Amino acid sequence: AQSVAQPEDQVNVAEGNPLTVKCTYSVSGNPYLFWYVQYPNRGLQFLLKYITGDNLVKGSYGFEAEFNKSQTSFHLKKPSALVSDSALYFCAVRDDSTDKLIFGTGTRLQVFP
Amino acid sequence: NAGVTQTPKFRVLKTGQSMTLLCAQDMNHEYMYWYRQDPGMGLRLIHYSVGEGTTAKGEVPDGYNVSRLKKQNFLLGLESAAPSQTSVYFCASSSNFPNTEAFFGQGTRLTVV
């Protein structure tokens, strides 16, 4: 069955420090992986997606994600966090055998000044 | 450029009442999705559609019905609302290529009393 796991409910980091938000996935077909961000009382905004062949993917606002096939992970990273990065982050996977787009439970990122 | 528009933005229902949520997209997307967002549960897929005239069940379809009579519209119906359906509902659309991102509406906050 298709699934996404975000093991951390919340990640706290000081401004200027690197951040990582974790995501692991399970699919039966080829994985298509995405990260989205949600600010309060807003819809989800696309950040980046995995493209076959590029294990390090760069996206919006300085975010990047590292795809690891052997660990079935797609962790979101940023070298230097900003207070304005504080938001709810969702990992999602589309399985090309089912057409469904499945989301994780979300990780709240809190960046402290 | 409207993107994905949800109507209404807020609604309060009494238990047992019915209502329909409307999602409209102007990007000529084949795929459309309805999700509900609850604290600690992330986004859960209710129903989705891979084209005009098609619908399919997601992770939590019970108590909901959908219709996709026109390509640009995806309707979510609650025939007899229950307090457990109090949630924020999001609609999304995407193309039929699995590596393309989905675009989200701003959400509908529904309270069932």
Side-chain angles (χ1 to χ4, degrees), chain B residues 56-105:
Chain B
K57 294 180 179 180
E59 302 170 288
V60 289
D62 294 342
Y64 305 94
N65 56 75
V66 287
S67 63
R68 184 97 182 268
L69 298 179
K70 294 183 179 180
K71 186 177 183 178
Q72 63 268 34
N73 296 337
F74 194 31
L75 278 63
L76 178 70
L78 287 73
E79 289 188 349
S80 179
S84 61
Q85 294 178 304
T86 293
S87 187
V88 181
Y89 292 85
F90 286 100
C91 176
S93 72
S94 72
S95 78
N96 55 331
F97 294 102
N99 64 345
T100 56
E101 62 271 26
F103 293 82
F104 279 79

Side-chain angles (χ1 to χ4, degrees), chain B residues 4-8 11 13 17-25 32-38 44-49 54-70 72-82 84-92 107-112:
Chain B
V4 179
T5 303
Q6 292 183 231
T7 311
R11 185 74 185 267
L13 282 181
Q17 285 185 319
S18 63
M19 79 164 293
T20 300
L21 282 68
L22 171 64
C23 177
Q25 53 96 3
M32 297 187 75
Y33 308 85
W34 274 109
Y35 295 89
R36 59 177 290 173
Q37 182 178 20
D38 302 290
R44 292 181 291 170
L45 182 63
I46 305 172
H47 286 281
Y48 64 104
S49 168
T54 75
T55 63
K57 294 180 179 180
E59 302 170 288
V60 289
D62 294 342
Y64 305 94
N65 56 75
V66 287
S67 63
R68 184 97 182 268
L69 298 179
K70 294 183 179 180
Q72 63 268 34
N73 296 337
F74 194 31
L75 278 63
L76 178 70
L78 287 73
E79 289 188 349
S80 179
S84 61
Q85 294 178 304
T86 293
S87 187
V88 181
Y89 292 85
F90 286 100
C91 176
T108 297
R109 186 173 295 276
L110 175 66
T111 302
V112 183

